[in-house]
C-alpha cells in the first residue's frame, strides 16, 4: 500500500485542523448547556443570601406562624401557605375531571374533522397571558361570582359552612376558578401526550375481545397511562402553586386564615407581587424573599416528581416505537 | 339456557349503557370547557376592539383625570425588552440544545442538564422576578430594562434548549454520516447540516419561548418596574405592555379599564401573530425541504 498522493495528504491535513475548531465548539456548547445548571445554582444562592435576615430572625418557625405585621416587624408565612394550598387544590378539583374529559374526547371520541380545532382551542388558551386572565376575571368573573354563582352556592351548599360571610366576588373561590381555567390546558395536553403513548395494538387487542369503547379506554388507555396522567396533574398543581398575576388580581389580598371560601386570602406568589416594591425595611424585604425561596424549592420538588412520572410513561413509548 | 342468555343480554345492556354514559360525560365536559374558553376570547376581542383607537398607538399615558392617552411607550418598551431577552436567551438556548443532542450521548451530565431544564421550566415566573432583582437590581440599586431583559432571557433558555434538542434528534443520522464522509469537521457538520435541517422546528421553539415570556408580568414588576414616559435607555426603568395592563386593570378609572382591554388585545395579537406567522412560514419551508 503506497502513500496517498500529495494532494490528498494536503486535503486531509487541512481537515484535521478541524480538531481545534471542534474542541472550541464543543466547549462553547457545553458552557451554554452548563449555564442552565449555573442559573439554578445562582438563583438558590441569591435567594438564600437575600433572605438571610429573615432566616436568622424567625428560623423554621417562619412557616408555622400566622403573624404578618410589617409595622411591628413580625412575619410568618402560614396564611400564604394556607391560601396557596386551598386555591391550588380547589383548582385541581375543578380542572382535573374536565381536563380528563377533554383529553378522552379529543383522543378517543372526537370525530376526525373536529379533533384539530378542539385541540387547537385548548392549546390557544395556554398562550393567553396570566395578566389578561386576571383582567377578564376582575370584570367578568367577579361580578358573576358576586351576583349569581355565590348566592347559588350558598343556597345549595350553605350548610357546609364553606360559603359563610359576605361575598364580595373576590376571594379564595374566585381565584381557584381562574386558576382552574389556566391549568386545564396544561393537564389535558400532558394527558393526551401520555395517552398517545399507549400502543395501538393494545387498544385493538382489547376491542377485538369484544370490549366497548369505554372498556377499551379504561383497560388499555387509562391503565397504561395512569402514571403519566398523575404526572400531568402534579405538573398542573405546580403551575397553580406559582401562578401570580391573575390570582393577585382577584384573591382579595388579605393575610387571614378563614374557613369560608368567599373570604379574601393571599397566596405565596401574590403577596410577593403585591408587597415587594412597597416593602420598607430590610426584614420585610427579606421575609418576602424567603417566601420566594420556599416557593422555588416547593415547585422544584413538585416539578421533579411530575417530570419523573411523565418520563416513566413516554420513555417506554420511545423504546417500543423503535 | 334461556336464563343464561337473558343474563348476558342484561350484561351487554349495562355495558352499552356505561359506554354511552361515559361518552356523554366526556362530550359534556368538553363543552363545559370550550364554551367559557371561547367566551373569554370573544369577550376579549369585543372589549379590546371597541377600545382601540389611533391615540392608543401614538400617545403615552395621560395623568389621572385627563381622558385619552395611549400605551405607545409600553408597546415600545415591551418590544425593546423582548428584543433584548431574545438576543441573549436564544443563542445560549440553542447552543445548550446542540450540546444535549450532539455531544452528550451516554453521559450523565446530559441527563442532568436535560432534567434541570425541564424543572426550571416549571419555576414560577415571580420567583424568576425576585432572582432577577437579587442578581441585578440590588447591585445596580435601581430598576432597569436591562435587568428585565436578562430575567426574561433566563426564562427562555430552558425552553429553547429542550425544543432545539428535540428537533436536532429528528435529523436523520445518514445526513451526518454523509457530511463526515466528506471529511467535514464536527462543528461544520453541526452548523451546516444538523442546525440547518432542523431550523424550522428550532425557530418554532424559539417563537414559543418568545410568546411565553411576552405576556409575563410578574418578573417585570421588580426589574423593569414600569414608567409613564417614553423609554429613555436600557439602564432606566421602562414601561411594558403587561405591566401597564395590570396597573390599569387595578385602577378605579373607566377610561383606564378601556385602555387595559385594548392593551390586552394588542398583546395577544402580538403573541398569536408571531407564533402563527412563524408556524406558517416554517411549515412551508419543511414541505419544500422534504421534496
Amino acid at each position: 500500500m503506497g502513500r496517498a498522493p500529495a494532494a490528498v495528504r494536503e486535503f486531509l491535513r487541512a481537515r484535521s485542523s478541524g480538531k481545534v475548531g471542534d474542541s472550541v465548539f464543543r466547549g462553547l456548547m457545553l458552557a451554554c448547556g452548563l449555564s442552565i445548571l449555573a442559573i439554578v445554582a445562582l438563583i438558590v444562592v441569591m435567594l438564600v443570601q437575600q433572605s438571610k435576615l429573615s432566616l436568622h430572625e424567625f428560623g423554621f418557625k417562619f412557616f408555622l406562624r400566622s403573624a404578618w405585621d410589617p409595622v411591628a416587624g413580625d412575619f410568618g408565612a402560614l396564611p400564604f401557605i394556607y391560601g396557596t394550598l386551598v386555591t391550588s387544590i380547589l383548582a385541581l378539583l375543578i380542572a382535573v375531571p374536565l381536563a380528563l374529559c377533554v383529553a378522552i374526547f379529543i383522543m378517543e371520541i372526537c370525530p376526525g374533522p373536529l379533533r384539530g380545532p378542539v385541540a387547537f382551542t385548548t392549546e390557544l388558551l395556554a398562550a393567553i397571558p396570566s395578566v389578561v386572565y386576571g383582567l377578564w376575571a376582575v370584570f367578568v368573573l367577579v361580578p358573576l361570582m358576586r351576583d349569581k354563582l355565590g348566592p347559588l352556592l350558598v343556597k345549595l351548599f350553605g350548610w357546609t359552612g364553606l360559603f359563610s360571610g359576605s361575598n364580595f366576588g373576590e376571594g379564595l373561590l374566585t381565584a381557584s376558578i381562574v386558576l382552574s381555567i389556566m391549568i386545564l390546558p396544561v393537564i389535558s395536553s400532558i394527558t393526551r401526550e401520555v395517552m398517545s403513548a399507549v400502543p395501538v395494538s393494545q387498544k385493538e387487542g382489547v376491542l377485538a375481545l369484544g370490549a366497548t369503547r369505554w372498556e377499551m379506554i379504561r383497560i388499555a388507555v387509562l391503565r397504561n397511562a395512569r402514571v403519566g396522567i398523575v404526572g400531568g396533574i402534579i405538573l398542573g398543581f405546580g403551575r397553580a402553586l406559582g401562578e401570580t398575576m391573575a390570582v393577585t388580581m382577584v384573591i382579595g389580598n388579605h393575610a387571614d386564615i378563614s374557613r369560608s371560601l368567599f373570604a379574601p386570602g393571599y397566596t405565596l406568589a401574590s403577596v410577593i407581587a403585591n408587597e415587594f416594591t412597597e416593602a420598607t425595611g430590610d426584614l420585610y424585604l427579606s421575609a418576602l424573599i424567603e417566601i420566594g425561596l420556599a416557593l422555588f424549592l416547593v415547585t422544584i420538588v413538585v416539578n421533579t416528581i411530575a417530570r419523573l412520572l411523565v418520563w416513566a410513561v413516554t420513555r417506554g413509548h420511545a423504546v417500543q416505537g423503535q | 339456557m334461556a336464563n343464561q342468555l337473558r343474563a348476558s343480554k342484561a350484561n351487554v345492556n349495562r355495558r352499552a349503557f356505561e359506554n354511552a354514559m361515559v361518552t356523554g360525560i366526556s362530550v359534556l365536559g368538553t363543552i363545559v370547557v370550550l364554551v367559557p374558553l371561547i367566551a373569554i376570547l370573544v369577550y376579549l376581542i369585543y372589549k379590546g376592539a371597541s377600545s382601540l383607537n389611533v391615540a392608543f398607538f401614538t400617545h403615552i399615558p395621560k395623568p389621572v383625570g385627563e381622558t385619552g392617552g395611549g400605551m405607545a411607550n409600553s408597546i415600545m418598551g415591551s418590544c425593546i425588552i423582548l428584543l433584548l431577552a431574545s438576543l441573549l436567551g436564544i443563542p445560549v438556548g440553542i447552543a445548550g440544545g446542540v450540546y444535549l443532542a450532539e455531544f452528550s450521548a451516554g453521559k450523565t451530565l446530559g441527563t442532568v442538564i436535560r432534567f434541570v431544564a425541564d424543572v426550571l421550566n416549571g419555576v414560577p415566573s415571580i420567583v424568576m422576578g425576585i432572582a432577577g432583582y437579587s442578581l441585578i437590581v440590588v447591585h445596580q440599586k435601581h430598576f432597569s430594562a436591562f435587568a428585565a431583559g436578562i430575567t426574561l432571557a433566563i426564562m427562555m433558555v430552558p425552553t429553547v434548549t429542550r425544543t432545539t434538542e428535540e428537533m436536532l434528534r429528528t435529523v436523520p443520522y445518514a445526513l451526518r454520516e454523509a457530511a463526515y464522509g466528506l471529511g467535514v469537521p464536527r462543528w461544520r457538520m453541526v452548523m451546516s447540516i444538523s442546525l440547518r435541517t432542523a431550523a424550522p422546528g428550532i425557530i418554532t421553539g424559539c417563537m414559543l419561548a418568545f410568546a411565553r415570556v411576552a405576556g409575563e408580568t410578574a418578573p417585570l414588576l421588580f426589574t423593569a418596574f414600569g414608567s409613564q414616559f417614553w423609554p429613555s435607555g436600557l439602564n432606566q426603568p421602562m414601561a411594558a405592555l403587561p405591566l401597564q395592563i395590570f396597573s390599569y386593570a387595578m385602577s378605579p378609572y373607566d377610561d383606564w379599564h378601556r385602555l387595559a382591554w385594548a392593551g390586552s388585545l394588542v398583546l395577544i395579537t402580538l403573541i398569536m401573530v408571531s407564533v402563527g406567522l412563524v408556524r406558517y412560514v416554517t411549515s412551508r419551508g419543511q414541505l419544500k425541504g422534504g421534496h
Side-chain angles (χ1 to χ4, degrees), chain B residues 34 53 61 106 114 124 135 146 151-152 160 227 234 244 247 272:
Chain B
L34 282 184
N53 53 31
R114 192 170 301 127
L135 277 175
F146 180 64
T151 308
L152 293 188
V160 175
S227 135
L234 285 183
Q244 205 67 10
S247 60
M272 300 289 170

Side-chain angles (χ1 to χ4, degrees), chain B residues 77 80-81 84 137 140 142-149 223-227 229-239:
Chain B
I80 292 172
I81 292 170
L84 187 64
V137 178
Q140 277 194 318
H142 59 83
F143 300 104
S144 68
F146 180 64
T223 50
F225 192 69
S227 135
F229 310 104
W230 289 103
S232 59
L234 285 183
N235 221 359
Q236 297 298 317
M238 194 179 280

Side-chain angles (χ1 to χ4, degrees), chain A residues 109-124:
Chain A
I109 294 172
C110 187
L114 262 179
R115 190 170 292 175
V118 173
F120 177 75
T121 313
T122 50
E123 299 287 310
L124 197 66

Side-chain angles (χ1 to χ4, degrees), chain B residues 5 9 14 21-22 55 58 94 117 125 132 152 179 223 227 260 263 270:
Chain B
L5 214 58
K9 180 93 175 148
R14 181 185 55 80
M21 203 176 67
V22 172
T58 52
I94 291 180
S125 57
L152 293 188
T223 50
S227 135
L270 174 87

Side-chain angles (χ1 to χ4, degrees), chain A residues 135-181:
Chain A
L135 180 73
W136 171 82
V138 166
F139 292 108
V140 180
L141 189 61
V142 166
L144 193 73
M145 193 67 204
R146 189 174 49 216
D147 304 329
K148 300 266 162 57
L149 227 51
L152 185 73
L153 284 169
V154 171
K155 216 188 220 168
L156 291 176
F157 304 107
W159 51 270
T160 55
L162 289 175
F163 304 102
S164 57
S166 40
N167 171 18
F168 298 108
E170 293 185 344
L172 292 168
L173 184 61
T174 314
S176 309
I177 295 174
V178 184
L179 272 182
S180 70
I181 296 175

Side-chain angles (χ1 to χ4, degrees), chain A residues 15 22 25-26 29-30 32 39 105 109 124-125 131 135-136 139-140 210 214-215 244-245 276 299 303-304, chain B residues 15 19 22 26 30 37 40 43 92 95 99 107 115 122 124 126 154 183 186-187 217 222 249 257 264 272:
Chain A
R15 282 296 161 241
D22 270 357
F25 183 71
R26 185 200 169 91
M29 300 298 119
L30 177 63
C32 289
I39 287 169
F105 178 76
I109 294 172
L124 197 66
L125 265 294
V131 69
L135 180 73
W136 171 82
F139 292 108
V140 180
W214 161 238
E215 285 163 344
T244 313
M245 300 318 294
F276 199 81
T299 46
N303 281 303
T304 303
Chain B
R15 291 169 56 208
N19 185 42
V22 172
S26 93
T30 308
L37 294 193
I40 291 176
Y43 191 78
V92 174
Y99 172 75
K107 286 186 190 150
F115 196 78
I126 186 103
I154 289 177
R186 200 166 186 184
W187 67 271
T217 316
F222 328 126
H257 295 163
S264 297
M272 300 289 170

